[in-house]
């Protein structure tokens, strides 16, 4: 089980490296303060962080550190994530985490969900 988690973490580092080389425009955020600018893409692979993308691991992205169970409204419609937290993260279609979760991202997960459509809020559970 632990090896699988390490493989996921390695995949996250690889994706972040590719994003850095591709020149993806970064955007940072914290769960408490909201979006800001100037993040280093390698921070998406740091334990406890979560990054979300506007495309399938392409386009605008935002880095969140230390998210909790409070609802976080994304700065754009999210279509992909790298979840380096130790908790599952639930994504919702609306901006206030109401209704049924549209996507559940496991701890140490790396996924995109173009077929689900853009999601606008999330929280750790």
């Amino acid at each position: 089980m632990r090896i699988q988690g390490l493989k996921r973490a390695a995949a996250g580092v690889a994706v972040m490296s590719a994003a850095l080389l591709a020149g993806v425009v970064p955007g940072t955020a914290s769960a408490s303060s909201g979006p800001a600018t100037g993040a280093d893409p390698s921070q998406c692979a740091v334990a406890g962080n979560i990054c979300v993308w506007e495309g399938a691991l392409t386009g605008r992205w935002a880095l969140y550190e230390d998210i909790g169970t409070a609802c976080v409204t994304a700065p754009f419609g999210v279509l992909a994530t790298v979840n380096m937290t130790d908790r599952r993260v639930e994504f919702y279609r609306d901006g206030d985490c109401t209704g049924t979760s549209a996507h559940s991202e496991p701890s140490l997960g790396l996924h995109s969900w173009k077929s689900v459509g853009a999601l606008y809020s999330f929280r750790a559970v």
Side-chain angles (χ1 to χ4, degrees):
M1 188 81 161
R2 180 73 178 144
I3 291 174
Q4 186 177 22
L6 292 174
K7 287 180 183 177
R8 286 183 186 161
V13 170
V15 168
M16 293 309 99
S17 297
L20 179 60
L21 291 173
V24 173
V25 177
T28 64
S30 73
S32 60
S33 67
T37 59
D40 176 354
S42 66
Q43 297 227 322
C44 292
V46 172
N49 291 349
I50 184 170
C51 283
V52 294
W53 277 266
E54 181 178 44
L57 300 173
T58 62
R60 291 186 297 170
W61 63 278
L63 166 69
Y64 292 84
E65 299 173 317
D66 302 319
I67 67 166
T69 57
C71 183
V72 177
T73 301
F76 45 77
V78 175
L79 289 175
T81 186
V82 172
N83 177 10
M84 296 302 292
T85 71
D86 61 356
R87 295 179 288 172
R88 185 177 79 246
V89 175
E90 298 291 331
F91 287 83
Y92 299 85
R93 295 191 189 284
D94 58 19
D96 60 1
C97 299
T98 57
T100 304
S101 168
H103 176 74
S104 181
E105 186 64 35
S107 172
L108 303 178
L110 164 69
H111 291 98
S112 66
W113 51 84
K114 289 173 69 173
S115 63
V116 172
L119 305 175
Y120 295 91
S121 62
F122 59 92
R123 77 168 114 222
V125 293

PDB file of all heavy atoms in Angstrom, residues 91-118:
ATOM      1  N   PHE A  91     -14.924  17.228  -4.773  1.00  0.00           N
ATOM      2  CA  PHE A  91     -15.135  18.355  -5.674  1.00  0.00           C
ATOM      3  C   PHE A  91     -16.615  18.477  -6.013  1.00  0.00           C
ATOM      4  O   PHE A  91     -17.295  17.456  -6.186  1.00  0.00           O
ATOM      5  CB  PHE A  91     -14.326  18.169  -6.962  1.00  0.00           C
ATOM      6  CG  PHE A  91     -12.853  18.373  -6.759  1.00  0.00           C
ATOM      7  CD1 PHE A  91     -12.066  17.354  -6.282  1.00  0.00           C
ATOM      8  CD2 PHE A  91     -12.286  19.602  -7.030  1.00  0.00           C
ATOM      9  CE1 PHE A  91     -10.702  17.540  -6.084  1.00  0.00           C
ATOM     10  CE2 PHE A  91     -10.921  19.803  -6.838  1.00  0.00           C
ATOM     11  CZ  PHE A  91     -10.131  18.770  -6.364  1.00  0.00           C
ATOM     12  N   TYR A  92     -17.091  19.717  -6.153  1.00  0.00           N
ATOM     13  CA  TYR A  92     -18.516  19.994  -6.372  1.00  0.00           C
ATOM     14  C   TYR A  92     -18.724  20.861  -7.611  1.00  0.00           C
ATOM     15  O   TYR A  92     -17.858  21.650  -7.984  1.00  0.00           O
ATOM     16  CB  TYR A  92     -19.101  20.710  -5.151  1.00  0.00           C
ATOM     17  CG  TYR A  92     -18.997  19.885  -3.896  1.00  0.00           C
ATOM     18  CD1 TYR A  92     -17.845  19.907  -3.128  1.00  0.00           C
ATOM     19  CD2 TYR A  92     -20.051  19.068  -3.494  1.00  0.00           C
ATOM     20  CE1 TYR A  92     -17.736  19.136  -1.975  1.00  0.00           C
ATOM     21  CE2 TYR A  92     -19.951  18.298  -2.341  1.00  0.00           C
ATOM     22  CZ  TYR A  92     -18.793  18.335  -1.593  1.00  0.00           C
ATOM     23  OH  TYR A  92     -18.693  17.568  -0.457  1.00  0.00           O
ATOM     24  N   ARG A  93     -19.906  20.738  -8.192  1.00  0.00           N
ATOM     25  CA  ARG A  93     -20.250  21.501  -9.402  1.00  0.00           C
ATOM     26  C   ARG A  93     -20.496  22.984  -9.122  1.00  0.00           C
ATOM     27  O   ARG A  93     -20.336  23.822  -9.992  1.00  0.00           O
ATOM     28  CB  ARG A  93     -21.482  20.907 -10.073  1.00  0.00           C
ATOM     29  CG  ARG A  93     -21.239  19.521 -10.604  1.00  0.00           C
ATOM     30  CD  ARG A  93     -22.383  19.051 -11.487  1.00  0.00           C
ATOM     31  NE  ARG A  93     -22.232  17.647 -11.805  1.00  0.00           N
ATOM     32  CZ  ARG A  93     -21.373  17.161 -12.690  1.00  0.00           C
ATOM     33  NH1 ARG A  93     -20.582  17.975 -13.337  1.00  0.00           N
ATOM     34  NH2 ARG A  93     -21.296  15.866 -12.918  1.00  0.00           N
ATOM     35  N   ASP A  94     -20.903  23.311  -7.910  1.00  0.00           N
ATOM     36  CA  ASP A  94     -21.208  24.706  -7.573  1.00  0.00           C
ATOM     37  C   ASP A  94     -20.028  25.348  -6.838  1.00  0.00           C
ATOM     38  O   ASP A  94     -19.024  24.701  -6.588  1.00  0.00           O
ATOM     39  CB  ASP A  94     -22.482  24.784  -6.733  1.00  0.00           C
ATOM     40  CG  ASP A  94     -22.364  23.962  -5.462  1.00  0.00           C
ATOM     41  OD1 ASP A  94     -21.228  23.649  -5.052  1.00  0.00           O
ATOM     42  OD2 ASP A  94     -23.393  23.624  -4.880  1.00  0.00           O
ATOM     43  N   GLY A  95     -20.164  26.594  -6.484  1.00  0.00           N
ATOM     44  CA  GLY A  95     -19.092  27.321  -5.812  1.00  0.00           C
ATOM     45  C   GLY A  95     -19.120  27.268  -4.301  1.00  0.00           C
ATOM     46  O   GLY A  95     -18.290  27.891  -3.651  1.00  0.00           O
ATOM     47  N   ASP A  96     -20.070  26.509  -3.714  1.00  0.00           N
ATOM     48  CA  ASP A  96     -20.158  26.502  -2.254  1.00  0.00           C
ATOM     49  C   ASP A  96     -20.276  25.111  -1.638  1.00  0.00           C
ATOM     50  O   ASP A  96     -20.788  24.951  -0.534  1.00  0.00           O
ATOM     51  CB  ASP A  96     -21.299  27.391  -1.785  1.00  0.00           C
ATOM     52  CG  ASP A  96     -22.656  26.952  -2.323  1.00  0.00           C
ATOM     53  OD1 ASP A  96     -22.731  25.943  -3.050  1.00  0.00           O
ATOM     54  OD2 ASP A  96     -23.652  27.627  -2.010  1.00  0.00           O
ATOM     55  N   CYS A  97     -19.783  24.102  -2.320  1.00  0.00           N
ATOM     56  CA  CYS A  97     -19.708  22.725  -1.800  1.00  0.00           C
ATOM     57  C   CYS A  97     -21.057  22.171  -1.359  1.00  0.00           C
ATOM     58  O   CYS A  97     -21.152  21.443  -0.366  1.00  0.00           O
ATOM     59  CB  CYS A  97     -18.708  22.613  -0.647  1.00  0.00           C
ATOM     60  SG  CYS A  97     -17.016  23.041  -1.086  1.00  0.00           S
ATOM     61  N   THR A  98     -22.116  22.519  -2.058  1.00  0.00           N
ATOM     62  CA  THR A  98     -23.419  21.963  -1.728  1.00  0.00           C
ATOM     63  C   THR A  98     -23.799  20.916  -2.768  1.00  0.00           C
ATOM     64  O   THR A  98     -23.201  20.838  -3.842  1.00  0.00           O
ATOM     65  CB  THR A  98     -24.500  23.061  -1.665  1.00  0.00           C
ATOM     66  OG1 THR A  98     -24.539  23.754  -2.906  1.00  0.00           O
ATOM     67  CG2 THR A  98     -24.211  24.038  -0.534  1.00  0.00           C
ATOM     68  N   GLY A  99     -24.770  20.144  -2.454  1.00  0.00           N
ATOM     69  CA  GLY A  99     -25.188  19.080  -3.364  1.00  0.00           C
ATOM     70  C   GLY A  99     -24.296  17.862  -3.233  1.00  0.00           C
ATOM     71  O   GLY A  99     -23.477  17.744  -2.325  1.00  0.00           O
ATOM     72  N   THR A 100     -24.444  16.961  -4.159  1.00  0.00           N
ATOM     73  CA  THR A 100     -23.666  15.727  -4.161  1.00  0.00           C
ATOM     74  C   THR A 100     -22.311  15.974  -4.803  1.00  0.00           C
ATOM     75  O   THR A 100     -22.210  16.664  -5.810  1.00  0.00           O
ATOM     76  CB  THR A 100     -24.415  14.634  -4.956  1.00  0.00           C
ATOM     77  OG1 THR A 100     -25.707  14.474  -4.384  1.00  0.00           O
ATOM     78  CG2 THR A 100     -23.665  13.329  -4.932  1.00  0.00           C
ATOM     79  N   SER A 101     -21.278  15.393  -4.223  1.00  0.00           N
ATOM     80  CA  SER A 101     -19.939  15.511  -4.785  1.00  0.00           C
ATOM     81  C   SER A 101     -19.920  14.936  -6.199  1.00  0.00           C
ATOM     82  O   SER A 101     -20.476  13.874  -6.461  1.00  0.00           O
ATOM     83  CB  SER A 101     -18.942  14.761  -3.904  1.00  0.00           C
ATOM     84  OG  SER A 101     -17.702  14.633  -4.544  1.00  0.00           O
ATOM     85  N   ALA A 102     -19.271  15.638  -7.135  1.00  0.00           N
ATOM     86  CA  ALA A 102     -19.180  15.185  -8.518  1.00  0.00           C
ATOM     87  C   ALA A 102     -17.908  14.384  -8.772  1.00  0.00           C
ATOM     88  O   ALA A 102     -17.827  13.623  -9.722  1.00  0.00           O
ATOM     89  CB  ALA A 102     -19.225  16.382  -9.461  1.00  0.00           C
ATOM     90  N   HIS A 103     -16.892  14.559  -7.919  1.00  0.00           N
ATOM     91  CA  HIS A 103     -15.637  13.827  -8.060  1.00  0.00           C
ATOM     92  C   HIS A 103     -14.983  13.717  -6.703  1.00  0.00           C
ATOM     93  O   HIS A 103     -14.938  14.680  -5.943  1.00  0.00           O
ATOM     94  CB  HIS A 103     -14.689  14.535  -9.033  1.00  0.00           C
ATOM     95  CG  HIS A 103     -13.356  13.870  -9.124  1.00  0.00           C
ATOM     96  ND1 HIS A 103     -13.177  12.682  -9.790  1.00  0.00           N
ATOM     97  CD2 HIS A 103     -12.149  14.208  -8.620  1.00  0.00           C
ATOM     98  CE1 HIS A 103     -11.904  12.322  -9.694  1.00  0.00           C
ATOM     99  NE2 HIS A 103     -11.265  13.234  -8.985  1.00  0.00           N
ATOM    100  N   SER A 104     -14.448  12.544  -6.406  1.00  0.00           N
ATOM    101  CA  SER A 104     -13.735  12.305  -5.162  1.00  0.00           C
ATOM    102  C   SER A 104     -12.293  11.935  -5.493  1.00  0.00           C
ATOM    103  O   SER A 104     -12.042  10.959  -6.187  1.00  0.00           O
ATOM    104  CB  SER A 104     -14.417  11.156  -4.399  1.00  0.00           C
ATOM    105  OG  SER A 104     -13.762  10.928  -3.181  1.00  0.00           O
ATOM    106  N   GLU A 105     -11.354  12.748  -5.020  1.00  0.00           N
ATOM    107  CA  GLU A 105      -9.937  12.514  -5.289  1.00  0.00           C
ATOM    108  C   GLU A 105      -9.260  11.921  -4.056  1.00  0.00           C
ATOM    109  O   GLU A 105      -9.243  12.546  -2.997  1.00  0.00           O
ATOM    110  CB  GLU A 105      -9.252  13.832  -5.665  1.00  0.00           C
ATOM    111  CG  GLU A 105      -7.816  13.665  -6.087  1.00  0.00           C
ATOM    112  CD  GLU A 105      -7.692  12.842  -7.346  1.00  0.00           C
ATOM    113  OE1 GLU A 105      -8.559  12.935  -8.238  1.00  0.00           O
ATOM    114  OE2 GLU A 105      -6.713  12.101  -7.466  1.00  0.00           O
ATOM    115  N   PRO A 106      -8.726  10.702  -4.160  1.00  0.00           N
ATOM    116  CA  PRO A 106      -8.094  10.075  -2.995  1.00  0.00           C
ATOM    117  C   PRO A 106      -6.792  10.778  -2.606  1.00  0.00           C
ATOM    118  O   PRO A 106      -6.192  11.485  -3.415  1.00  0.00           O
ATOM    119  CB  PRO A 106      -7.822   8.652  -3.469  1.00  0.00           C
ATOM    120  CG  PRO A 106      -7.684   8.762  -4.946  1.00  0.00           C
ATOM    121  CD  PRO A 106      -8.631   9.870  -5.354  1.00  0.00           C
ATOM    122  N   SER A 107      -6.365  10.548  -1.392  1.00  0.00           N
ATOM    123  CA  SER A 107      -5.073  11.027  -0.940  1.00  0.00           C
ATOM    124  C   SER A 107      -4.001  10.530  -1.903  1.00  0.00           C
ATOM    125  O   SER A 107      -4.043   9.387  -2.361  1.00  0.00           O
ATOM    126  CB  SER A 107      -4.812  10.489   0.470  1.00  0.00           C
ATOM    127  OG  SER A 107      -3.503  10.781   0.880  1.00  0.00           O
ATOM    128  N   LEU A 108      -3.056  11.389  -2.219  1.00  0.00           N
ATOM    129  CA  LEU A 108      -1.963  11.094  -3.152  1.00  0.00           C
ATOM    130  C   LEU A 108      -2.471  10.748  -4.545  1.00  0.00           C
ATOM    131  O   LEU A 108      -1.838  10.005  -5.280  1.00  0.00           O
ATOM    132  CB  LEU A 108      -1.062   9.970  -2.611  1.00  0.00           C
ATOM    133  CG  LEU A 108      -0.437  10.234  -1.243  1.00  0.00           C
ATOM    134  CD1 LEU A 108       0.385   9.029  -0.798  1.00  0.00           C
ATOM    135  CD2 LEU A 108       0.405  11.486  -1.255  1.00  0.00           C
ATOM    136  N   GLY A 109      -3.620  11.321  -4.923  1.00  0.00           N
ATOM    137  CA  GLY A 109      -4.204  11.057  -6.230  1.00  0.00           C
ATOM    138  C   GLY A 109      -3.811  12.097  -7.261  1.00  0.00           C
ATOM    139  O   GLY A 109      -3.530  13.246  -6.949  1.00  0.00           O
ATOM    140  N   LEU A 110      -3.801  11.676  -8.520  1.00  0.00           N
ATOM    141  CA  LEU A 110      -3.499  12.515  -9.668  1.00  0.00           C
ATOM    142  C   LEU A 110      -4.485  12.139 -10.758  1.00  0.00           C
ATOM    143  O   LEU A 110      -4.428  11.032 -11.281  1.00  0.00           O
ATOM    144  CB  LEU A 110      -2.059  12.255 -10.136  1.00  0.00           C
ATOM    145  CG  LEU A 110      -1.669  12.735 -11.531  1.00  0.00           C
ATOM    146  CD1 LEU A 110      -1.627  14.248 -11.567  1.00  0.00           C
ATOM    147  CD2 LEU A 110      -0.318  12.149 -11.919  1.00  0.00           C
ATOM    148  N   HIS A 111      -5.442  13.033 -11.070  1.00  0.00           N
ATOM    149  CA  HIS A 111      -6.472  12.709 -12.054  1.00  0.00           C
ATOM    150  C   HIS A 111      -6.941  13.946 -12.810  1.00  0.00           C
ATOM    151  O   HIS A 111      -6.835  15.062 -12.322  1.00  0.00           O
ATOM    152  CB  HIS A 111      -7.708  12.091 -11.373  1.00  0.00           C
ATOM    153  CG  HIS A 111      -7.459  10.754 -10.822  1.00  0.00           C
ATOM    154  ND1 HIS A 111      -7.172  10.535  -9.498  1.00  0.00           N
ATOM    155  CD2 HIS A 111      -7.434   9.541 -11.413  1.00  0.00           C
ATOM    156  CE1 HIS A 111      -6.994   9.242  -9.294  1.00  0.00           C
ATOM    157  NE2 HIS A 111      -7.145   8.617 -10.440  1.00  0.00           N
ATOM    158  N   SER A 112      -7.501  13.699 -13.979  1.00  0.00           N
ATOM    159  CA  SER A 112      -8.259  14.718 -14.689  1.00  0.00           C
ATOM    160  C   SER A 112      -9.616  14.109 -15.012  1.00  0.00           C
ATOM    161  O   SER A 112      -9.757  12.899 -15.048  1.00  0.00           O
ATOM    162  CB  SER A 112      -7.537  15.173 -15.962  1.00  0.00           C
ATOM    163  OG  SER A 112      -7.463  14.132 -16.893  1.00  0.00           O
ATOM    164  N   TRP A 113     -10.627  14.954 -15.224  1.00  0.00           N
ATOM    165  CA  TRP A 113     -11.991  14.450 -15.415  1.00  0.00           C
ATOM    166  C   TRP A 113     -12.742  15.298 -16.429  1.00  0.00           C
ATOM    167  O   TRP A 113     -13.813  15.840 -16.161  1.00  0.00           O
ATOM    168  CB  TRP A 113     -12.751  14.383 -14.095  1.00  0.00           C
ATOM    169  CG  TRP A 113     -12.710  15.661 -13.305  1.00  0.00           C
ATOM    170  CD1 TRP A 113     -13.524  16.754 -13.458  1.00  0.00           C
ATOM    171  CD2 TRP A 113     -11.816  15.990 -12.252  1.00  0.00           C
ATOM    172  NE1 TRP A 113     -13.190  17.743 -12.580  1.00  0.00           N
ATOM    173  CE2 TRP A 113     -12.137  17.297 -11.814  1.00  0.00           C
ATOM    174  CE3 TRP A 113     -10.768  15.326 -11.624  1.00  0.00           C
ATOM    175  CZ2 TRP A 113     -11.452  17.927 -10.786  1.00  0.00           C
ATOM    176  CZ3 TRP A 113     -10.089  15.966 -10.613  1.00  0.00           C
ATOM    177  CH2 TRP A 113     -10.430  17.250 -10.203  1.00  0.00           C
ATOM    178  N   LYS A 114     -12.226  15.389 -17.638  1.00  0.00           N
ATOM    179  CA  LYS A 114     -12.876  16.179 -18.680  1.00  0.00           C
ATOM    180  C   LYS A 114     -14.305  15.722 -18.928  1.00  0.00           C
ATOM    181  O   LYS A 114     -15.187  16.534 -19.201  1.00  0.00           O
ATOM    182  CB  LYS A 114     -12.066  16.109 -19.967  1.00  0.00           C
ATOM    183  CG  LYS A 114     -10.765  16.886 -19.884  1.00  0.00           C
ATOM    184  CD  LYS A 114      -9.881  16.688 -21.092  1.00  0.00           C
ATOM    185  CE  LYS A 114     -10.461  17.309 -22.310  1.00  0.00           C
ATOM    186  NZ  LYS A 114      -9.555  17.276 -23.465  1.00  0.00           N
ATOM    187  N   SER A 115     -14.568  14.429 -18.819  1.00  0.00           N
ATOM    188  CA  SER A 115     -15.917  13.923 -19.083  1.00  0.00           C
ATOM    189  C   SER A 115     -16.925  14.355 -18.019  1.00  0.00           C
ATOM    190  O   SER A 115     -18.115  14.427 -18.288  1.00  0.00           O
ATOM    191  CB  SER A 115     -15.907  12.400 -19.200  1.00  0.00           C
ATOM    192  OG  SER A 115     -15.493  11.818 -17.982  1.00  0.00           O
ATOM    193  N   VAL A 116     -16.469  14.657 -16.809  1.00  0.00           N
ATOM    194  CA  VAL A 116     -17.350  15.108 -15.721  1.00  0.00           C
ATOM    195  C   VAL A 116     -17.710  16.574 -15.910  1.00  0.00           C
ATOM    196  O   VAL A 116     -18.791  17.013 -15.581  1.00  0.00           O
ATOM    197  CB  VAL A 116     -16.671  14.883 -14.347  1.00  0.00           C
ATOM    198  CG1 VAL A 116     -17.471  15.503 -13.218  1.00  0.00           C
ATOM    199  CG2 VAL A 116     -16.436  13.412 -14.101  1.00  0.00           C
ATOM    200  N   GLY A 117     -16.780  17.354 -16.458  1.00  0.00           N
ATOM    201  CA  GLY A 117     -16.982  18.783 -16.623  1.00  0.00           C
ATOM    202  C   GLY A 117     -16.315  19.567 -15.501  1.00  0.00           C
ATOM    203  O   GLY A 117     -15.838  19.009 -14.517  1.00  0.00           O
ATOM    204  N   ALA A 118     -16.284  20.866 -15.652  1.00  0.00           N
ATOM    205  CA  ALA A 118     -15.618  21.737 -14.690  1.00  0.00           C
ATOM    206  C   ALA A 118     -16.309  21.705 -13.338  1.00  0.00           C
ATOM    207  O   ALA A 118     -17.535  21.689 -13.249  1.00  0.00           O
ATOM    208  CB  ALA A 118     -15.583  23.169 -15.228  1.00  0.00           C
TER     209      ALA A 118
END
